[in-house]
Amino acid sequence: MNTSLEWIKAMVPGLDVTEQEFMDAMTLSGTKVEGYRKLDADLEQIVVGQILKIERHPDADKLIVCQVDIGREEAIQIVTGAPNVSEGDKVPVVLSGGRVAGGHDGSVTPGGIKIKKGKLRGIESDGMMCSIEELGSSREMYPEAPELGIYIFKEDVPVGADAVGLLGLHDAVFEYEVTSNRVDCFSVIGIAREAAATFRRELKLPEVTETGNGEDVNDYIKVTVKDADLCSRYVARAVKNIKIAPSPKWMQRRLAAQGIRPINNLVDITNYVMAEYGQPMHAYDLDTIAGKEIIVRRASKDETFVTLDGQERKLDDSVLMICDAEKPVGIAGIMGGENSMITDSVKCMLFEAACFDGTNIRLSSKKIGLRTDASSVFEKGLDPNNAMEAMNRACQLVEELGAGEVIGGAVDVYPVKKEGRRIPFEPEKYNRLLGTQIAAEDMLSYFERLELSYDKETNEILVPSWRQDLECGADIAEEAARFFGYDNIPTTLPDGEATTGKLSLKLRIEQIARDVAEYCGFSQGMCYSFESPKVFDKLCIPADSKLRDTVTILNPLGEDFSIMRTTPLNGMLTSLSTNYNRRNQDVRLYELGNIYLPNQVPVTELPIERMQFTLGMYGEGDFFTLKGVVEEFFAKTGMFEKPEYNPGAGRPYLHPGRQADIFYKGTAVGYLGEVHPLVAANYSIKDRVYVAVLDMPEITAAADFGRKYRGIAKFPASNRDISMVVPKEILAGDIEKVFDAKGGAYLERYALFDIYEGSQIKPGFKSLAYSLTFRGKEKNLEEADITGAMERILKALEHMGIELRK
């Protein structure tokens, strides 16, 4: 969307700002300006000059010497080769030291071309007479300009006056990025309304006066809308005694600034109203309308129609047509027909202003391969209440320009009137949403500038129909924000753990998992969520296992990707297998990925997704190496209580004597162990493979990042070593439970430092040796303090069948 700043200023009196100030303020208030172009950026010292005398150049057949009055005491002499000038002509003259935008051929020079006094074939030339191209424009925008030669003012203009101003070039054209929901801003009035609100100025819209003679338009035309779902409103008026002529200069200048080529008064009026009101209009030669009737209907299947551009279009029954009693005369909202076009011989004209379904216009335009300025506007969905106002404005301009005689009355087919919305006024809610403390009175003052009314009795904001983007309280809050000033909203952090400047608890724990794994030499891998049903057999999972209850993909890429995984082991073992068979040694991998557990089979609802932290390794390291990584992870997540390990897990894919379920505070949080040799063989791995799988939702529930400070120990520690002969079925963890229960307040820590099984130990037993550290927090420990704790420990161990090693 482009607008001329001068056109905006005409509707917003007192708007005295520079182009940059306008651009910055409008962008901050929500009407984003992409940029602007000053039409007079490279034009300096250009005045109106009148040619007093013309003589031939003595040394050049194609040059003439002109004496030009520029409103000063003495005329200046200019040598030119222009063939179209005569004595008495008034032309734009750039004085010596001035600047023009480009060359006569239409080329534009960045920064312009500076004109200096000089000689042409020995004759002095003090300045230059300008063509319209040298002034940075073209004959498209100034149709009165000659094809070759100097621009000549047709009207009486004062000599010495500012020629750039008389040509309407003291202006700037702004380009806006308007979102598709702000249909009202695809018009000069819409942008002017935003500018008035932004700069706190009064909005002065064009005053539309009543037009029409004493006749009734219903005697000239009848309108029937058969497909009201695609045409919510159709307004028609008629004009007779048409007089085709050029439109006035002020209209041509405004259209040219918009990038619209002036053609004649009737075409220019429709283009002008479309730019001003955002309402496309179309004109038909009323004498070509059979039966003096307009019928709005869908096209017939395979119907053909010749549009104004002379192209035959093939249609179907989804395209909306404008027809007379016998034939189609236009494609609704896109382009009129060749059979009803306005020609110079037109006597009576029919004006159309309608509101068509935007989606249908977009699809129809794409289907027939024709997109026009009108269709691009209709596509966005227009306000039907704007149609009559735009029609009356067009008829007013017809009378003001003397383009014809407007017939009285209007045909208005508008079965269901569109009303505005009512949205509750909730200033506290808006402030909470924005993080502001805007007073309710200030909000209402912003809304008043935007022509949003307030119903005090119902406490509601009344939204006019042309603000189609305002649908709920959040939209109203946005209006308050943009006129309070986005730059005035204080910087605050939103509420909620996930957005207070740190990661959520879940993401923090996942990050710790990555950090611990990578610190311990593991590399991250990513495995597919889709797997083959055959993986359960490779993992030696029983046929009745719940792991075989899977979510089956309806349209899989193939059988190998036909189910969603219920265990992460296949992906991990596949990755380890790939590395093993490529002769990579000492491989350690980890993955953070979901498994998908259906509530029932067949699946009737979304499955449960659980994030799993999977560790896999072969080569250097063993079961206890992996156990250490798991416990390091627990410690980093604040799980300081000792986990428990149940070696009777009975998982078929793990070695029966080298596996354990992991419990924390009585809750199962995962498992670890050596992969069963048969499973490892199924994955072509001929080495010992160790895996650990931790259920991250359970880890997250158990994690605790609370920290309590303990000072540096003030008193020395005392160590005691204990070597025991232990039945093989007793676990080290069972012994450590005794230490925790019987060691008392002075037992600071303990550590297993030796395990032995051999000929020196009787069959069915093993030797375990622990180092125990005792320390007092408030005093130096005496021998009796330590001896008492050791006696309690040894007595409890004796009850378990454990003996001290001699």
Side-chain angles (χ1 to χ4, degrees):
M1 175 65 193
N2 295 341
T3 67
S4 153
L5 182 58
E6 290 302 312
W7 200 347
I8 297 296
K9 287 182 176 180
M11 295 186 185
V12 187
L15 181 60
D16 185 18
V17 292
T18 65
E19 291 82 2
Q20 190 63 45
E21 289 170 344
F22 182 83
M23 175 178 173
D24 294 342
M26 291 292 283
T27 298
L28 283 174
S29 68
T31 307
K32 184 179 178 182
V33 182
E34 287 288 324
Y36 65 90
R37 177 175 62 91
K38 293 184 67 173
L39 302 183
D40 62 350
D42 299 320
L43 304 179
E44 298 176 5
Q45 299 186 49
I46 303 175
V47 300
V48 175
Q50 185 171 23
I51 301 175
L52 303 177
K53 184 179 180 182
I54 297 177
E55 297 176 336
R56 298 188 65 81
H57 193 291
D59 292 326
D61 294 338
K62 294 184 178 180
L63 297 179
I64 56 175
V65 181
C66 303
Q67 303 300 320
V68 183
D69 180 9
I70 57 170
R72 299 179 182 177
E73 292 184 1
E74 294 183 2
I76 62 173
Q77 180 173 282
I78 297 176
V79 178
T80 181
N84 66 314
V85 293
S86 304
E87 291 181 357
D89 287 344
K90 293 182 178 180
V91 298
V93 175
V94 56
L95 305 178
S96 178
R99 196 179 300 271
V100 292
H104 181 72
D105 58 357
S107 61
V108 176
T109 302
I113 301 173
K114 192 168 185 178
I115 303 302
K116 298 179 180 179
K117 184 176 181 180
K119 291 184 178 181
L120 288 177
R121 291 289 185 94
I123 302 297
E124 287 191 356
S125 181
D126 189 8
M128 184 180 79
M129 293 182 281
C130 304
S131 66
I132 199 64
E133 289 79 10
E134 288 163 332
L135 296 174
S137 190
S138 67
R139 293 186 64 249
E140 274 198 340
M141 302 306 170
Y142 290 81
E144 75 277 12
E147 182 175 357
L148 296 171
I150 304 302
Y151 182 88
I152 299 174
F153 290 99
K154 302 298 181 184
E155 62 273 20
D156 187 21
V157 294
V159 174
D162 179 8
V164 176
L166 292 172
L167 289 168
L169 293 173
H170 285 317
D171 201 353
V173 177
F174 288 80
E175 180 182 355
Y176 305 87
E177 182 185 321
V178 182
T179 54
S180 58
N181 64 334
R182 287 303 305 271
V183 185
D184 57 301
C185 286
F186 285 93
S187 66
V188 176
I189 287 178
I191 297 295
R193 186 180 283 117
E194 289 291 313
T198 298
F199 293 99
R200 300 176 183 267
R201 296 286 188 271
E202 179 187 359
L203 177 67
K204 185 177 180 181
L205 297 180
E207 186 176 344
V208 181
T209 57
E210 185 177 347
T211 56
N213 58 20
E215 298 179 88
D216 185 358
V217 71
N218 293 285
D219 297 332
Y220 284 77
I221 193 69
K222 175 186 176 183
V223 176
T224 303
V225 178
K226 291 187 176 180
D227 292 288
D229 59 322
L230 300 182
C231 178
S232 56
R233 188 176 193 181
Y234 192 100
V235 177
R237 296 193 70 176
V239 180
K240 67 179 184 179
N241 301 327
I242 300 296
K243 298 175 183 176
I244 301 291
S247 54
K249 288 291 186 293
W250 64 267
M251 180 176 285
Q252 291 187 30
R253 300 297 181 253
R254 285 185 175 177
L255 290 175
Q258 295 288 115
I260 301 173
R261 179 170 62 95
I263 298 175
N264 60 48
N265 48 8
L266 292 181
V267 176
D268 291 353
I269 286 171
T270 60
N271 287 334
Y272 187 87
V273 172
M274 183 171 76
E276 189 174 49
Y277 280 81
Q279 170 66 55
M281 300 187 67
H282 191 68
Y284 302 95
D285 187 339
L286 190 55
D287 293 331
T288 65
I289 304 299
K292 303 305 180 198
E293 182 179 12
I294 289 291
I295 301 172
V296 183
R297 61 165 177 82
R298 283 179 167 87
S300 303
K301 189 175 182 180
D302 296 329
E303 185 174 0
T304 59
F305 180 68
V306 179
T307 48
L308 277 171
D309 57 3
Q311 299 293 315
E312 185 177 84
R313 312 284 176 178
K314 187 174 181 180
L315 314 172
D316 61 23
D317 55 6
S318 67
V319 179
L320 191 66
M321 301 296 293
I322 309 298
C323 308
D324 60 20
E326 299 175 357
K327 62 186 182 301
V329 295
I331 303 176
I334 299 177
M335 184 176 281
E338 193 176 46
N339 55 9
S340 61
M341 64 185 296
I342 299 294
T343 63
D344 291 344
S345 60
V346 62
K347 300 298 182 186
C348 193
M349 179 185 68
L350 176 69
F351 258 151
E352 166 195 283
C355 187
F356 303 114
D357 179 72
T359 302
N360 178 263
I361 296 299
R362 178 177 59 82
L363 294 175
S364 298
S365 176
K366 186 175 182 180
K367 189 171 296 181
I368 65 177
L370 178 61
R371 196 166 190 267
T372 61
D373 290 342
S375 69
S376 65
V377 175
F378 277 118
E379 287 172 5
K380 297 170 178 65
L382 300 184
D383 175 20
N385 294 326
N386 194 41
M388 182 60 80
E389 187 74 9
M391 174 62 78
N392 291 336
R393 173 63 166 162
C395 291
Q396 176 191 26
L397 291 171
V398 167
E399 289 195 348
E400 288 180 358
L401 273 55
E405 181 182 351
V406 180
I407 305 299
V411 178
D412 187 7
V413 181
Y414 194 13
V416 181
K417 184 177 181 181
K418 182 175 181 179
E419 303 291 345
R421 295 187 182 88
R422 286 177 170 262
I423 300 176
F425 179 53
E426 303 170 302
E428 296 84 5
K429 182 178 179 181
Y430 306 154
N431 278 321
R432 287 198 304 272
L433 184 63
L434 300 171
T436 56
Q437 294 182 346
I438 308 173
E441 296 77 11
D442 292 337
M443 290 187 186
L444 291 175
S445 70
Y446 303 152
F447 302 156
E448 183 180 0
R449 285 152 53 187
L450 291 166
E451 300 183 31
L452 306 179
S453 305
Y454 173 61
D455 187 335
K456 190 174 182 179
E457 292 184 2
T458 62
N459 191 39
E460 291 177 316
I461 301 296
L462 308 183
V463 181
S465 59
W466 42 265
R467 282 304 300 271
Q468 301 180 35
D469 60 307
L470 301 183
E471 298 180 346
C472 61
D475 297 326
I476 298 297
E478 183 182 8
E479 297 302 291
R482 66 195 188 96
F483 287 100
F484 173 72
Y486 293 118
D487 53 332
N488 294 324
I489 297 177
T491 301
T492 58
L493 290 173
D495 292 335
E497 185 185 64
T499 52
T500 54
K502 61 181 180 181
L503 297 175
S504 66
L505 177 61
K506 173 180 178 294
L507 294 179
R508 287 166 65 192
I509 292 174
E510 289 177 12
Q511 187 59 54
I512 290 172
R514 294 187 188 92
D515 292 343
V516 169
E518 290 170 9
Y519 175 78
C520 294
F522 288 76
S523 299
Q524 185 171 14
M526 300 293 289
C527 301
Y528 290 114
S529 294
F530 297 161
E531 291 186 332
S532 168
K534 298 176 182 178
V535 302
F536 301 116
D537 294 333
K538 290 182 71 174
L539 292 169
C540 298
I541 293 175
D544 60 349
S545 172
K546 290 288 290 181
L547 293 177
R548 289 181 180 263
D549 294 340
T550 61
V551 178
T552 303
I553 308 302
L554 290 178
N555 55 340
L557 297 174
E559 185 184 11
D560 289 345
F561 301 95
S562 61
I563 64 170
M564 301 191 77
R565 66 179 181 176
T566 55
T567 173
L569 287 179
N570 175 66
M572 176 57 68
L573 293 176
T574 300
S575 298
L576 291 173
S577 174
T578 301
N579 280 275
Y580 181 83
N581 287 286
R582 291 182 181 175
R583 302 178 183 273
N584 292 327
Q585 298 179 350
D586 302 328
V587 173
R588 297 185 178 191
L589 299 176
Y590 78 93
E591 182 201 10
L592 283 165
N594 286 337
I595 58 171
Y596 305 87
L597 307 175
N599 292 305
Q600 61 184 27
V601 177
V603 175
T604 58
E605 57 184 327
L606 292 175
I608 299 170
E609 298 184 28
R610 297 187 75 85
M611 176 71 73
Q612 306 289 286
F613 178 29
T614 308
L615 297 159
M617 56 180 280
Y618 67 80
E620 184 181 354
D622 56 16
F623 177 95
F624 297 101
T625 304
L626 194 57
K627 178 173 173 283
V629 176
V630 170
E631 293 184 353
E632 175 73 10
F633 172 58
F634 286 173
K636 292 297 184 182
T637 53
M639 298 166 65
F640 294 115
E641 292 192 20
K642 289 184 69 66
E644 298 178 12
Y645 298 90
N646 176 18
R651 298 180 183 271
Y653 38 82
L654 298 180
H655 194 293
R658 299 167 186 163
Q659 60 171 289
D661 282 345
I662 307 171
F663 290 84
Y664 186 79
K665 292 184 178 180
T667 301
V669 296
Y671 58 88
L672 81 161
E674 180 183 329
V675 174
H676 196 290
L678 292 178
V679 175
N682 289 338
Y683 285 90
S684 302
I685 304 177
K686 299 177 181 180
D687 198 351
R688 289 189 175 187
V689 183
Y690 301 93
V691 294
V693 178
L694 300 176
D695 189 46
M696 292 300 280
E698 294 294 349
I699 299 293
T700 303
D704 181 8
F705 289 105
R707 297 288 188 271
K708 187 175 182 181
Y709 172 74
R710 290 189 299 183
I712 298 174
K714 298 179 181 179
F715 303 97
S718 297
N719 295 321
R720 295 289 186 272
D721 292 343
I722 180 172
S723 180
M724 301 163 284
V725 178
V726 181
K728 284 188 176 181
E729 64 271 13
I730 295 179
L731 304 177
D734 297 331
I735 296 173
E736 292 173 359
K737 288 180 182 178
V738 171
F739 295 159
D740 291 330
K742 302 300 182 181
Y746 298 140
L747 180 60
E748 185 177 70
R749 64 178 177 268
Y750 49 81
L752 176 68
F753 66 86
D754 183 61
I755 301 175
Y756 174 74
E757 293 182 41
S759 58
Q760 298 183 29
I761 303 297
K762 58 185 176 180
F765 285 78
K766 58 187 175 183
S767 172
L768 299 179
Y770 277 88
S771 175
L772 286 75
T773 301
F774 295 89
R775 190 194 303 270
K777 296 180 181 179
E778 305 294 337
K779 65 173 185 174
N780 276 321
L781 295 182
E782 299 178 359
E783 183 63 27
D785 297 325
I786 301 172
T787 301
M790 288 298 297
E791 288 178 351
R792 291 192 300 271
I793 292 172
L794 293 175
K795 188 175 182 180
L797 293 174
E798 185 179 347
H799 284 302
M800 296 171 62
I802 299 174
E803 304 172 2
L804 286 179
R805 185 176 178 185
K806 304 299 183 181

